[in-house]
Each structure stands twice: as structure tokens, then as C-alpha cells.
């Protein structure tokens, strides 16, 4: 185990397959946990409160911001999304790799707060495939999908701000690549100072 946990920023446009890929990573690893975000958007069918998000009103969300309970938050497609602070700090203390599945504005805030955070951008193989996936999802109307596609193009341009690029050509490949990143990050010297000093003292 590393000295502390690892904070992982995980972004990708709507329709890039973040949910599917992440759920496989979480199934494979018990040292990786996902932070459950809070949102003011409507629950989609199949989503569960407390699992996919905490679904709240704008008033409740704004109160949490003013009480300083959010690590970061952003407005996206006319809704608020944010990361509750306390659970993340607790999981990091336990040495876990904590994934924040957030969009690019939130990612920027987290990088400033936690310079050690690792950021991964999940991209579709092409924007044509992204559009196909978004329309095929059938959970939103045409206008919402079009709006999300415009945002997606802007987001993909900001992938250069991230540490790692993972192309989601197949779910298994993407999962493998993400686990490789986590494994390598865990081995970094600056995440293992305590164990290194023990090794040095015993030489
Ligand atoms: P969706 O409505 O498709 O679930 O999410 C829309 C966008 O909000 C996605 O890009 C997702 O990564 C982002 N998002 C989800 N939770 C958070 C959060 O806590 N903070 C920020 N900044 N973005 C989030």
C-alpha cells in the first residue's frame, strides 16, 4: 500500500462509456473506490440514489456549497454536479485509490487542490462513434443529445490537460489500461516515502 491513497480524476465526454468501464474496474479491485457525486439533474431510468448520484434540489446543493461541504462543483448542461468532501478524505486516509468521475472544470479545480492527483481522460475512438452511442442510449431527447455533443467536442479538446489518455475501443482494453495506470502510480517513489525510508534504514 502507498503512504496515502491516490486521488484519480476520471473524465470523458458523455457517451464515452465512463460508467461501464468504471464499474468493471471497481469489480476487479477492492483497493479502488468511486466517489458518489451530488447532482441536481433528474434521475435516469435504472439509476439509484446513493449509488450513481445523490439526487438533490438546487437549494440543498447550494446550502452544501455554502457550508463548505463540497470539494468541487460545476454547472454542466444546466445542472449542478459536485463532489462531497468528507467521504473522499476518509477514503484517501484508508489508502484507497479514489476515483472522481467529473467533468473538465471540476478536474481543473481538483488539480489545483491536490497536485498529486492523477488525471485520466477516456475518449471514444471517434466523435462519430460517440454520437452513435449517445443516440443509441435513448435516455434523452434529441435536443439534450445535441447539447451534450457540443459540450463533448469542447471537452475532447481539453484532453491535453490530463496526464493519461485512454481510448475506449473495447471495454476490456480500457479497463486494462486504467488498471495499468493505477498499478504504476502506486509504485511511484514519491508515493512510497515511508516504506522507502524503512528499506534504507535496514540496509
Ligand atoms: P451525467 O449527467 O451524464 O451523469 O454527467 C454529466 C457530466 O457531469 C459528466 O461529464 C460527469 O463526469 C460530470 N460529473 C459527474 N459528477 C460530477 C461531480 O461531482 N463534479 C463535476 N465537476 N462533474 C461531475
Amino acid at each position: 500500500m502507498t503512504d496515502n491513497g491516490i486521488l484519480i480524476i476520471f473524465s470523458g465526454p458523455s457517451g464515452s462509456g465512463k460508467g461501464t468501464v468504471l464499474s468493471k474496474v471497481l469489480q476487479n479491485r477492492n483497493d479502488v473506490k468511486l466517489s458518489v457525486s451530488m447532482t441536481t439533474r433528474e434521475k435516469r431510468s435504472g439509476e439509484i440514489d446513493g449509488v450513481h448520484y445523490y439526487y438533490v434540489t438546487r437549494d440543498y446543493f447550494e446550502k452544501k456549497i455554502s457550508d463548505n461541504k463540497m470539494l468541487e462543483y460545476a454547472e454542466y448542461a444546466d445542472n449542478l454536479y459536485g463532489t462531497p468532501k468528507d467521504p473522499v478524505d476518509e477514503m484517501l486516509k484508508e489508502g484507497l485509490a479514489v476515483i472522481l468521475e467529473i467533468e473538465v472544470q471540476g478536474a481543473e479545480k481538483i488539480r489545483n487542490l491536490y497536485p498529486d492527483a492523477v488525471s485520466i481522460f477516456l475518449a471514444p475512438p471517434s466523435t462519430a462513434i460517440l454520437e452513435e452511442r449517445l443516440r443509441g442510449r435513448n435516455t434523452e431527447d434529441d435536443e439534450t443529445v445535441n447539447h451534450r455533443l457540443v459540450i463533448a467536442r469542447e471537452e475532447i479538446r481539453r484532453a491535453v490537460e490530463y496526464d493519461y489518455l485512454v481510448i475506449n475501443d473495447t471495454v476490456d482494453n480500457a479497463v486494462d489500461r486504467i488498471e495499468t495506470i493505477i498499478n504504476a502510480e502506486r509504485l511511484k517513489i514519491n508515493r512510497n516515502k515511508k516504506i522507502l525510508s524503512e528499506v534504507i534504514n535496514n540496509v
Side-chain angles (χ1 to χ4, degrees):
M1 232 0 147
T2 37
D3 295 346
N4 289 303
I6 306 177
L7 193 58
I8 301 172
I9 300 165
F10 188 67
S11 306
S14 201
S16 59
K18 280 172 302 192
T20 314
V21 168
L22 277 185
S23 70
K24 285 238 167 160
V25 173
L26 295 168
Q27 261 171 34
N28 290 353
R29 318 261 307 214
N30 55 18
D31 65 324
V32 181
K33 296 281 177 240
L34 182 67
S35 149
V36 180
S37 295
M38 197 175 275
T39 184
T40 61
R41 89 145 156 72
E42 292 285 307
K43 196 167 20 155
R44 290 189 195 126
S45 75
E47 288 184 341
I48 302 163
D49 191 21
V51 174
H52 296 95
Y53 284 105
Y54 296 106
Y55 303 89
V56 301
T57 61
R58 193 167 270 263
D59 277 354
Y60 185 89
F61 200 118
E62 284 169 353
K63 174 86 170 64
K64 291 288 171 194
I65 297 170
S66 58
D67 289 348
N68 205 19
K69 292 285 183 198
M70 305 305 285
L71 202 53
E72 61 74 38
Y73 64 91
E75 181 107 27
Y76 181 98
D78 303 326
N79 281 299
L80 288 169
Y81 293 82
T83 308
K85 197 170 170 181
D86 295 349
V88 171
D89 288 341
E90 277 159 33
M91 290 189 281
L92 287 177
K93 266 191 227 137
E94 287 171 31
L96 295 164
V98 182
I99 300 190
L100 307 184
E101 197 252 88
I102 60 181
E103 50 64 73
V104 292
Q105 307 162 69
E108 193 176 340
K109 291 182 200 157
I110 295 293
R111 269 189 217 103
N112 293 330
L113 282 173
Y114 293 84
D116 277 354
V118 179
S119 56
I120 304 176
F121 193 89
L122 184 75
S126 69
T127 43
I129 290 179
L130 184 77
E131 181 162 1
E132 215 173 273
R133 288 183 187 163
L134 268 181
R135 299 210 185 278
R137 190 154 79 180
N138 271 332
T139 48
E140 282 118 342
D141 56 36
D142 265 5
E143 198 191 331
T144 309
V145 171
N146 291 340
H147 188 190
R148 279 176 180 255
L149 274 170
V150 171
I151 300 173
R153 293 206 170 87
E154 283 163 17
E155 285 178 319
I156 293 171
R157 281 191 206 105
R158 292 189 63 179
V160 288
E161 297 168 20
Y162 286 70
D163 298 316
Y164 295 97
L165 174 70
V166 171
I167 302 286
N168 188 11
D169 45 4
T170 72
V171 173
D172 286 345
N173 282 343
V175 169
D176 257 10
R177 291 167 187 146
I178 291 165
E179 290 199 54
T180 302
I181 295 166
I182 297 172
N183 293 340
E185 286 291 333
R186 283 223 183 263
L187 301 178
K188 278 195 166 162
I189 291 288
N190 67 5
R191 296 192 195 277
N192 291 282
K193 291 276 168 64
K194 270 188 224 147
I195 190 158
L196 181 63
S197 71
E198 280 163 28
V199 173
I200 291 171
N201 288 334
N202 289 326
V203 172

